[in-house]
Amino acid sequence: LLFVRPGQRLGHGQRTAAPPFELDDAEAILREVSGVAEVAPQSSQAMVAVYCNENWNTAVTGSDNRYFPVGNWELAQGRYFSDSELRAGKSVCVIGETVRQKLFGAQVPIGSKIRLKKISCEIIGLLKSKGQSAGGSDQDDTIVIPLRTFWRRIAGNQDVQRLRISAREGVSTARVQRDIENLMRERRRIAPGEEDDFSVMDMQEIVRTLTGTTRILTALLGAVAA
């Protein structure tokens, strides 16, 4: 899994300013980078989800059905988006297990409607629980809606904030990353010698970094205890 984001990391959650991606960028990567299996465009925003007297602050992501296989998501109940829902930007959503617990308790959420800002969104699917990510965040604390719905009803633009990319089985992610960087430099008209105005991160590299940090902290705590 690789993540492509506009701008460069500055640390502490800060990034350099850079133009967002377009939907065509996702299609170009899928078409022109041979080692890529799938590309999911997405945009996200934190907001409050409301159901009856319950509310929960969560992350709402706009994407399409490619989001689920790229992120290795499976359904516990319900279904994914239909083609017509994606094209028309319908107010439907797929939720994670944490959102279900916080808003519905033991109830079955399929067919119920939650409010996201001014949107009344029908729940059509519930994702199987995945637990915490390598970085410690709750992967199940999520709501996914069609990308066009996000654009029209929430963002008010057609920006793509991030590209999630899965590499083909057995292909070097380092090679895929290099090919993506070369293509994006060309598409974003970055001259030779100029720095990238985007970043490509390999999930394996992120996991290795976190594992190394954990080992260092464990060694330090062991030294203190000794």
Side-chain angles (χ1 to χ4, degrees):
L1 188 63
L2 298 105
F3 300 95
V4 188
R5 298 184 64 182
Q8 291 285 333
R9 289 188 64 185
L10 297 175
H12 305 292
Q14 300 294 317
R15 302 185 69 83
T16 58
F21 300 130
E22 299 176 353
L23 194 57
D24 285 347
D25 291 322
E27 306 306 329
I29 290 172
L30 183 61
R31 182 177 62 251
E32 299 183 34
V33 179
S34 60
V36 167
E38 195 58 273
V39 183
Q42 70 175 81
S43 290
S44 302
Q45 186 173 315
M47 65 183 66
V48 177
V50 180
Y51 175 71
C52 294
N53 295 325
E54 302 294 335
N55 63 80
W56 180 246
N57 199 345
T58 187
V60 177
T61 295
S63 191
D64 54 32
N65 282 333
R66 293 177 287 185
Y67 177 87
F68 304 108
V70 167
N72 199 28
W73 286 104
E74 296 181 2
L75 283 172
Q77 297 175 8
R79 61 178 178 84
Y80 298 126
F81 307 122
S82 68
D83 290 341
S84 61
E85 288 167 343
L86 290 169
R87 286 195 302 268
K90 294 291 186 180
S91 297
V92 292
C93 60
V94 177
I95 67 172
E97 176 62 19
T98 297
V99 177
R100 183 197 69 79
Q101 292 176 8
K102 297 298 182 180
L103 296 182
F104 296 93
Q107 296 181 49
V108 175
I110 305 300
S112 298
K113 292 187 176 182
I114 57 176
R115 192 168 73 251
L116 304 172
K117 290 190 174 179
K118 297 181 180 180
I119 306 174
S120 178
C121 189
E122 180 184 354
I123 299 172
I124 61 169
L126 171 66
L127 297 169
K128 286 185 179 179
S129 177
K130 290 177 68 173
Q132 288 190 337
S133 68
S137 61
D138 183 358
Q139 298 181 89
D140 302 323
D141 191 4
T142 185
I143 297 175
V144 186
I145 65 176
L147 183 57
R148 292 185 185 278
T149 309
F150 187 93
W151 284 346
R152 295 172 181 172
R153 306 293 298 276
I154 295 174
N157 57 51
Q158 295 189 10
D159 295 346
V160 174
Q161 297 172 354
R162 179 186 295 187
L163 301 172
R164 294 167 64 96
I165 301 171
S166 58
R168 295 186 183 278
E169 190 73 25
V171 174
S172 165
T173 53
R175 194 195 80 190
V176 173
Q177 180 173 345
R178 184 173 61 251
D179 291 346
I180 291 170
E181 289 170 346
N182 291 336
L183 176 61
M184 293 303 294
R185 285 185 62 88
E186 179 184 332
R187 291 186 60 83
R188 292 167 78 84
R189 296 180 175 83
I190 300 173
E194 290 184 355
E195 290 188 357
D196 295 342
D197 66 351
F198 62 92
S199 60
V200 183
M201 295 181 292
D202 182 352
M203 178 56 76
Q204 292 181 355
E205 183 179 342
I206 295 170
V207 170
R208 284 194 295 269
T209 300
L210 290 169
T211 302
T213 302
T214 301
R215 286 174 178 164
I216 291 169
L217 290 172
T218 302
L220 288 171
L221 288 171
V224 170

